[in-house]
Amino acid sequence: MPKGSNTPVPTTALRVELGWRSGPGVPDADASALLLVGGKVRSDGDFVFYNQPAHASGAVRYEGKRDGGGRIVDTLLVDLARVEPAIETIVLAASADGGTFGQVPDLYIEVRDAAQGGVAARFDSTGASVETAFVLGEFYRRQGAWKFRAVGQGYSSGLEGLATDFGITVDEPQHNAPAPPVATSPPVAPPVTMPPPTAPPVHMPPPVAPPAAVQPPPPPAPPAQPVRLSKVTLTKAAPAVSLAKQGGTSGAMRVNLNWQVRKQFSGWGSKRGRAVAMHADLDLDLCALYELTDGSKGVVQALGNAFGALQRPPYIHLDGDDRTGAVASGENLTINLDHKQSFRRILVFVTIYEGARSFADLHATVTLQPQFGAAIDFSLDECTVPSTVCALALITNTGSDLVVQREARYLVPERGVSPQRTVDYAYGWGMNWTPGRK
C-alpha cells in the first residue's frame, strides 16, 4: 500500500506484524497501539505496549517478538469485534530502542487474518532518517465497517513523545534541579506580654447543644499511576536485575517463552563429523522448580499435569501447553508476587518434550512481565551442544527483594537421565523424580 491509502479489513481477529531486517548495528524496535476517542486516549489504559500488554476490553494484546531467518517480527493481536463502540481509531505505532529508524532496514507493517493467515494489508515504510517513533498505520471506523490506513508519520521524540501526543501521562525520570528562591521577611520584634484586663461579670445564656456532626466528604480517588516506558534487557555483561528497583513488587508476573525454528532437520546424530538436529513438530515445555521459605520444594510443569496454583502454594501457575511458540503466545507461567515472601528461589527452565533432540537452531526470547513495573527480557544464545534442557532464569529472594538472574544455560543430560533430573543436579534442588506423562 502507498502512504496515505486505505483498504477495508474484516471485523475479526487480526494479527498485526511489525517487521524489519536484523543485523549488526540495527536497533531494536517495539510495536504499540493506542485506542482513541476524538484523537486522544480516554486514559492511560488505552495504551497497549510491552509494559502494558493487554487492553481491559480484550480487543488489543501485545504478543511480543520472534526472530527467524534474519528478520525480527513484533506482534499485536487486534480483535475488532471486541473493540468498544466509543473507540473510533486504533493507532499502530513503532518505537526504536537504541537508535533511529534510519538504521532499521526493510521496516514494514502487515495485517493478517489471525485464523486464516491471509494478508489483509501491508505497508512498507521507507525514507526514515532521525525518527525514533513512527505511526505506521491505523484502524478506523467508516460507516459501520473497519478500514486500515497506511500512515507513515515519524517522531523524533521517541515513544515518550508519541505517547504524550495522544494524551498518555508518562512517568519521566526525576532530575536534580536547584531549589527555587524563597522570599524572606525582615525580622519582627517579639510581642510584649500584657496582663489581661479584668472584666465585670456578665450574665451568660444557657449553653446551646452543638450541631449534629457533619460527615466529611470522602477523600478524592488517588490519581492514576503514569505509564512507565522503561524496559530491561538482560545480557551476559548485565545478567541480573532487582524487581523492586523496577517497580515489580506485587501482583502477577507473567513469564513468557516464544521461539522460532529457522531450519528443519531429520535427526540428531553424527554424519561425517557433523551434528544434525531434528525440529519437526517441536514441543517445548516451560517449567519451574521452586523452593519456598518453609522448606517445601517442587516443580510446575505440564508433565504429570503439575500446573501449580496462584492463590495457594506454590503461588506459581503454568497457563497451558503450547506447541507452536512462534505463531501463538508461546508458553506462559504466572508467579504471584503478592506472596513473594514465601519464595526462597525459583528456577525457570525449558525442556524438549518431543520433536527434537537439541535446541540447535532454536531462536527463543524470554520475557518476564510484572503487573506493575518494567518488562524484563533476554534472548537465548545459540545452542552448540546436544542439549534437551535449558535453564532460563533464576529468581532469588534476598530477604528484602527478588532478583532475576539470566541463566540461558544449556545442559546435556547423561544417558538415562531425564532433563528435569539434569537441571535438578545442576542447581542442587535435591528432589526425587519418577517417570511422567502429559
Side-chain angles (χ1 to χ4, degrees), residues 7 24 50 137 218 256 266 411:
T7 184
Y50 48 78
N256 171 262
S266 58
L411 302 171

XYZ file of all heavy atoms in Angstrom, residues 7 24 50 137 218 256 266 411:
59
model
N -7.695 0.613 2.976
C -8.332 -0.594 2.442
C -9.233 -1.190 3.513
O -8.930 -1.087 4.708
C -7.273 -1.630 2.013
O -7.922 -2.751 1.404
C -6.460 -2.131 3.187
N 24.048 -6.350 12.383
C 24.918 -5.544 13.250
C 24.548 -4.064 13.189
O 24.351 -3.506 12.112
C 26.320 -5.798 12.671
C 26.200 -7.092 11.921
C 24.810 -7.123 11.382
N 4.733 -3.047 25.503
C 5.418 -4.135 26.201
C 5.246 -4.083 27.707
O 5.278 -5.125 28.371
C 6.911 -4.168 25.844
C 7.619 -2.831 25.931
C 8.019 -2.283 27.146
C 7.893 -2.104 24.776
C 8.660 -1.074 27.217
C 8.549 -0.890 24.834
C 8.927 -0.372 26.056
O 9.568 0.839 26.121
N 0.445 2.817 10.850
C -0.897 2.633 10.296
C -1.952 2.835 11.357
O -1.645 3.097 12.529
N -15.834 12.189 51.241
C -14.818 11.144 51.076
C -13.577 11.709 50.403
O -13.661 12.646 49.610
C -15.519 10.104 50.176
C -16.582 10.878 49.467
C -17.023 11.929 50.430
N 7.062 -15.494 29.893
C 6.698 -15.955 28.550
C 7.933 -16.451 27.811
O 8.996 -15.844 27.872
C 6.044 -14.821 27.755
C 5.842 -15.175 26.292
O 6.649 -14.806 25.436
N 4.787 -15.901 25.990
N 16.531 -33.701 10.045
C 15.983 -35.046 10.024
C 16.371 -35.901 11.210
O 15.816 -36.954 11.416
C 16.429 -35.759 8.738
O 17.849 -35.779 8.682
N 22.009 -27.484 29.131
C 22.525 -28.627 29.868
C 22.372 -29.885 29.025
O 21.386 -30.042 28.293
C 21.772 -28.789 31.190
C 21.828 -27.578 32.139
C 20.874 -27.776 33.298
C 23.240 -27.340 32.630
